[in-house]
């Protein structure tokens, strides 16, 4: 299989006229050559933080505080999750996952509530879909063992030392929310030596010092943070210190569209369009140890094709900037998740 057009090649997304050659689901070659195609070919997105189970409660809880919305065990989302039937949860999640594929997401990292049953529920919703999942179980070590790792709610909710040890012994991924409401739980989260941190809105000088030394990756969720009123993460300072990825967070609060997340981040943060596109693709892949997120030989053939001559994108002078700040689902002509 070959895809032609303007290829956003490598980690710097260098626009070249050419083609991507896919062989058995892998990028076999990236060739610079003349082409008549107006398509734009880029890596499929990696949504680095989701709560897909919340698909059952879209736009619920307007006006509630963060704790009222999501704090375990009695925040609104947890009550709605308990009240929903398994069939309702599976159906709602499947539709969100289908939308994510259509909107160019090739992989996602999910914090999955509900223990082992919660992990099994989203696995059922994923059946027959091509999107790649990294599911982090919550609440119990058994959920971690049934999943791809453990996703901790935050150090204010528990110590998580035993869960961290068990996850490390299993060779799996450990992520934790930190610095969302305030800075009090950042040091305890860092003390767990996590594979990545989520949110990191409220930081102090000592936290920057630790990030300078430890370089723990961070996932930012700018739309979610604004909806819940917790503030704006210091994206520039974080990017200067470590790997930073992008996630859409709770489906109850925001659509799981990486187009919307990128455009919002580009206009909110003091970062370049290339940095935002890197946050939405290869940075998430690096955190999750995935082989996608970038167009290079040997990488997984998970690609997104946009119509560069759509009414929305035609005439763009800076293609990367247009992809990040302007492109949307209507510009998608193909999502290739495996090269077939």
């Amino acid at each position: 299989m070959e895809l032609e057009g303007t290829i956003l090649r490598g980690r710097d997304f260098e626009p070249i006229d050419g083609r991507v050659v896919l062989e058995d689901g892998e990028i076999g070659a990236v060739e610079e050559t003349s082409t008549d195609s107006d398509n734009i070919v880029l890596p499929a997105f990696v949504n680095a933080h989701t709560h897909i189970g919340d698909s059952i409660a879209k736009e619920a809880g307007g006006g509630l505080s963060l704790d009222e919305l999501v704090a375990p065990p009695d925040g609104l989302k947890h009550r709605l999750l308990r009240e929903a039937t398994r069939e309702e949860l599976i159906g709602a999640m499947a539709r969100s996952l289908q939308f994510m594929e259509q909107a160019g997401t090739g992989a996602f990292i999910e914090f999955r509530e509900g223990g082992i049953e919660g992990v099994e529920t989203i696995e059922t919703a994923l059946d027959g879909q091509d999107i790649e999942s990294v599911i982090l179980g919550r609440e119990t070590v058994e959920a971690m063992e049934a999943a791809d790792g453990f996703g901790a709610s935050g150090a204010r909710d528990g110590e998580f030392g035993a869960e961290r040890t068990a996850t490390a012994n299993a060779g799996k991924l450990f992520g934790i929310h930190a610095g969302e409401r305030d800075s009090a739980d950042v040091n305890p989260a860092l003390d767990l030596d996590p594979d990545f941190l989520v949110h990191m809105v409220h930081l102090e000088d000592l936290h920057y010092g630790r990030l300078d030394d430890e370089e723990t990756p961070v996932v930012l969720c700018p739309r979610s943070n604004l909806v819940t009123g917790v503030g704006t993460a210091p994206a520039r300072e974080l990017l200067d210190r470590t790997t930073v990825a992008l996630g859409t967070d709770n489906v109850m609060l925001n659509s799981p569209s990486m187009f919307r997340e990128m455009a919002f981040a580009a206009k909110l943060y003091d970062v370049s369009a290339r940095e935002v596109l890197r946050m939405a693709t290869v940075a998430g892949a690096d955190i999750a140890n995935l082989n996608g997120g970038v167009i290079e030989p040997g990488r997984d053939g998970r690609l997104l094709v946009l119509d560069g001559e759509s009414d929305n994108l035609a005439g763009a002078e800076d293609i990367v900037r247009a992809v990040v700040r302007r492109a949307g689902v209507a510009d998608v002509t193909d999502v290739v998740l495996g090269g077939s």
Side-chain angles (χ1 to χ4, degrees), residues 62-139:
L64 297 182
S65 69
L66 178 62
D67 284 340
E68 291 170 330
L69 283 168
V70 302
D74 294 320
L76 176 64
K77 66 169 280 182
H78 297 281
R79 299 200 307 273
L80 293 175
L81 286 171
R82 287 194 296 268
E83 293 168 2
T85 67
R86 188 171 189 272
E87 290 72 23
E88 288 171 335
L89 289 171
I90 291 170
M93 287 191 289
R95 298 194 72 167
S96 287
L97 294 166
Q98 289 164 12
F99 169 76
M100 289 166 70
E101 284 192 21
Q102 295 163 7
T105 295
F108 67 103
I109 305 174
E110 163 76 358
F111 276 40
R112 183 78 279 270
E113 292 86 0
I116 293 176
E117 183 178 359
V119 173
E120 292 173 345
T121 299
I122 194 168
E123 287 176 342
T124 301
L126 281 159
D127 187 41
Q129 307 206 43
D130 293 323
I131 193 169
E132 187 173 13
S133 63
V134 179
I135 301 169
L136 305 186
R138 303 184 70 180
E139 290 112 16

Side-chain angles (χ1 to χ4, degrees), residues 137-192:
R138 303 184 70 180
E139 290 112 16
T140 66
V141 169
E142 290 75 19
M144 176 275 293
E145 293 171 341
D148 301 304
F150 191 88
S153 56
R156 69 177 65 244
D157 299 322
E159 295 184 355
F160 295 108
E163 292 85 351
R164 179 65 184 109
T165 299
T167 305
N169 290 339
K172 296 184 176 183
L173 199 66
F174 183 91
I176 185 169
H177 299 83
E180 186 175 13
R181 295 168 178 81
D182 53 46
S183 63
D185 61 353
V186 176
N187 269 337
L190 283 166
D191 289 343
L192 291 167

Side-chain angles (χ1 to χ4, degrees), residues 196-210:
F196 67 99
L197 302 147
V198 181
H199 293 305
M200 296 291 274
V201 174
H202 300 283
L203 302 179
E204 301 175 4
D205 288 343
L206 73 163
H207 304 135
Y208 290 125
R210 292 193 67 173

Side-chain angles (χ1 to χ4, degrees), residues 263-286:
F264 193 79
K267 296 168 185 177
L268 180 68
Y269 298 143
D270 178 23
V271 297
S272 70
R274 276 181 169 75
E275 286 173 317
V276 172
L277 188 52
R278 195 174 297 122
M279 291 163 66
T281 55
V282 68
D286 287 346

